[in-house]
PDB file of all heavy atoms in Angstrom:
ATOM      1  N   VAL B 141      67.062 -83.935 186.720  1.00 91.00           N
ATOM      2  CA  VAL B 141      67.556 -85.161 187.358  1.00 91.00           C
ATOM      3  C   VAL B 141      68.945 -85.494 186.848  1.00 91.00           C
ATOM      4  O   VAL B 141      69.813 -85.935 187.597  1.00 91.00           O
ATOM      5  CB  VAL B 141      66.577 -86.338 187.088  1.00 91.00           C
ATOM      6  CG1 VAL B 141      67.224 -87.667 187.435  1.00 91.00           C
ATOM      7  CG2 VAL B 141      65.288 -86.136 187.867  1.00 91.00           C
ATOM      8  N   LEU B 142      69.207 -85.231 185.566  1.00 88.00           N
ATOM      9  CA  LEU B 142      70.516 -85.542 184.998  1.00 88.00           C
ATOM     10  C   LEU B 142      71.525 -84.426 185.265  1.00 88.00           C
ATOM     11  O   LEU B 142      72.642 -84.442 184.753  1.00 88.00           O
ATOM     12  CB  LEU B 142      70.394 -85.808 183.492  1.00 88.00           C
ATOM     13  CG  LEU B 142      69.542 -87.034 183.132  1.00 88.00           C
ATOM     14  CD1 LEU B 142      69.430 -87.182 181.619  1.00 88.00           C
ATOM     15  CD2 LEU B 142      70.107 -88.303 183.749  1.00 88.00           C
ATOM     16  N   GLY B 143      71.112 -83.421 186.020  1.00 88.00           N
ATOM     17  CA  GLY B 143      72.051 -82.395 186.471  1.00 88.00           C
ATOM     18  C   GLY B 143      72.420 -81.336 185.446  1.00 88.00           C
ATOM     19  O   GLY B 143      73.500 -80.757 185.504  1.00 88.00           O
ATOM     20  N   ALA B 144      71.529 -81.073 184.494  1.00 90.00           N
ATOM     21  CA  ALA B 144      71.861 -80.101 183.463  1.00 90.00           C
ATOM     22  C   ALA B 144      71.349 -78.705 183.793  1.00 90.00           C
ATOM     23  O   ALA B 144      71.577 -77.766 183.036  1.00 90.00           O
ATOM     24  CB  ALA B 144      71.312 -80.560 182.115  1.00 90.00           C
ATOM     25  N   LEU B 145      70.604 -78.554 184.888  1.00 93.00           N
ATOM     26  CA  LEU B 145      70.068 -77.239 185.249  1.00 93.00           C
ATOM     27  C   LEU B 145      70.942 -76.631 186.339  1.00 93.00           C
ATOM     28  O   LEU B 145      71.328 -77.294 187.283  1.00 93.00           O
ATOM     29  CB  LEU B 145      68.624 -77.385 185.746  1.00 93.00           C
ATOM     30  CG  LEU B 145      67.654 -78.109 184.799  1.00 93.00           C
ATOM     31  CD1 LEU B 145      66.300 -78.310 185.459  1.00 93.00           C
ATOM     32  CD2 LEU B 145      67.503 -77.347 183.491  1.00 93.00           C
ATOM     33  N   ARG B 146      71.219 -75.346 186.199  1.00 92.00           N
ATOM     34  CA  ARG B 146      72.134 -74.717 187.157  1.00 92.00           C
ATOM     35  C   ARG B 146      71.424 -73.964 188.272  1.00 92.00           C
ATOM     36  O   ARG B 146      72.055 -73.556 189.237  1.00 92.00           O
ATOM     37  CB  ARG B 146      73.059 -73.729 186.421  1.00 92.00           C
ATOM     38  CG  ARG B 146      74.220 -74.406 185.727  1.00 92.00           C
ATOM     39  CD  ARG B 146      75.050 -73.368 184.994  1.00 92.00           C
ATOM     40  NE  ARG B 146      75.785 -72.493 185.903  1.00 92.00           N
ATOM     41  CZ  ARG B 146      77.027 -72.720 186.301  1.00 92.00           C
ATOM     42  NH1 ARG B 146      77.671 -73.783 185.862  1.00 92.00           N
ATOM     43  NH2 ARG B 146      77.632 -71.883 187.110  1.00 92.00           N
ATOM     44  N   SER B 147      70.105 -73.766 188.104  1.00 95.00           N
ATOM     45  CA  SER B 147      69.440 -72.894 189.070  1.00 95.00           C
ATOM     46  C   SER B 147      68.013 -73.337 189.318  1.00 95.00           C
ATOM     47  O   SER B 147      67.342 -73.830 188.414  1.00 95.00           O
ATOM     48  CB  SER B 147      69.446 -71.454 188.528  1.00 95.00           C
ATOM     49  OG  SER B 147      68.395 -70.707 189.117  1.00 95.00           O
ATOM     50  N   PRO B 148      67.509 -73.171 190.546  1.00 95.00           N
ATOM     51  CA  PRO B 148      66.091 -73.478 190.816  1.00 95.00           C
ATOM     52  C   PRO B 148      65.163 -72.524 190.084  1.00 95.00           C
ATOM     53  O   PRO B 148      63.979 -72.815 189.932  1.00 95.00           O
ATOM     54  CB  PRO B 148      65.968 -73.312 192.334  1.00 95.00           C
ATOM     55  CG  PRO B 148      67.167 -72.562 192.784  1.00 95.00           C
ATOM     56  CD  PRO B 148      68.235 -72.755 191.772  1.00 95.00           C
ATOM     57  N   TRP B 149      65.695 -71.380 189.617  1.00 96.00           N
ATOM     58  CA  TRP B 149      64.875 -70.481 188.782  1.00 96.00           C
ATOM     59  C   TRP B 149      64.364 -71.205 187.536  1.00 96.00           C
ATOM     60  O   TRP B 149      63.465 -70.723 186.850  1.00 96.00           O
ATOM     61  CB  TRP B 149      65.696 -69.263 188.350  1.00 96.00           C
ATOM     62  CG  TRP B 149      65.943 -68.269 189.452  1.00 96.00           C
ATOM     63  CD1 TRP B 149      67.123 -68.027 190.079  1.00 96.00           C
ATOM     64  CD2 TRP B 149      64.975 -67.388 190.035  1.00 96.00           C
ATOM     65  NE1 TRP B 149      66.960 -67.059 191.030  1.00 96.00           N
ATOM     66  CE2 TRP B 149      65.653 -66.637 191.033  1.00 96.00           C
ATOM     67  CE3 TRP B 149      63.618 -67.160 189.827  1.00 96.00           C
ATOM     68  CZ2 TRP B 149      65.012 -65.691 191.816  1.00 96.00           C
ATOM     69  CZ3 TRP B 149      62.978 -66.209 190.595  1.00 96.00           C
ATOM     70  CH2 TRP B 149      63.668 -65.494 191.589  1.00 96.00           C
ATOM     71  N   ALA B 150      64.958 -72.355 187.260  1.00 96.00           N
ATOM     72  CA  ALA B 150      64.595 -73.109 186.052  1.00 96.00           C
ATOM     73  C   ALA B 150      63.094 -73.356 185.953  1.00 96.00           C
ATOM     74  O   ALA B 150      62.553 -73.457 184.859  1.00 96.00           O
ATOM     75  CB  ALA B 150      65.355 -74.435 186.015  1.00 96.00           C
ATOM     76  N   VAL B 151      62.401 -73.451 187.098  1.00 97.00           N
ATOM     77  CA  VAL B 151      60.947 -73.697 187.023  1.00 97.00           C
ATOM     78  C   VAL B 151      60.242 -72.584 186.253  1.00 97.00           C
ATOM     79  O   VAL B 151      59.188 -72.806 185.663  1.00 97.00           O
ATOM     80  CB  VAL B 151      60.292 -73.844 188.420  1.00 97.00           C
ATOM     81  CG1 VAL B 151      60.756 -75.113 189.092  1.00 97.00           C
ATOM     82  CG2 VAL B 151      60.545 -72.615 189.260  1.00 97.00           C
ATOM     83  N   LEU B 152      60.838 -71.400 186.230  1.00 97.00           N
ATOM     84  CA  LEU B 152      60.209 -70.298 185.490  1.00 97.00           C
ATOM     85  C   LEU B 152      60.230 -70.542 183.989  1.00 97.00           C
ATOM     86  O   LEU B 152      59.524 -69.878 183.227  1.00 97.00           O
ATOM     87  CB  LEU B 152      60.907 -68.979 185.813  1.00 97.00           C
ATOM     88  CG  LEU B 152      60.601 -68.434 187.208  1.00 97.00           C
ATOM     89  CD1 LEU B 152      61.280 -67.075 187.388  1.00 97.00           C
ATOM     90  CD2 LEU B 152      59.099 -68.295 187.419  1.00 97.00           C
ATOM     91  N   ALA B 153      61.034 -71.521 183.565  1.00 97.00           N
ATOM     92  CA  ALA B 153      61.042 -71.850 182.140  1.00 97.00           C
ATOM     93  C   ALA B 153      59.693 -72.435 181.718  1.00 97.00           C
ATOM     94  O   ALA B 153      59.341 -72.403 180.541  1.00 97.00           O
ATOM     95  CB  ALA B 153      62.166 -72.833 181.829  1.00 97.00           C
TER      96      ALA B 153
END
Side-chain angles (χ1 to χ4, degrees):
Chain B
V141 166
L142 296 178
L145 306 174
R146 280 178 70 93
S147 157
W149 287 109
V151 292
L152 287 183

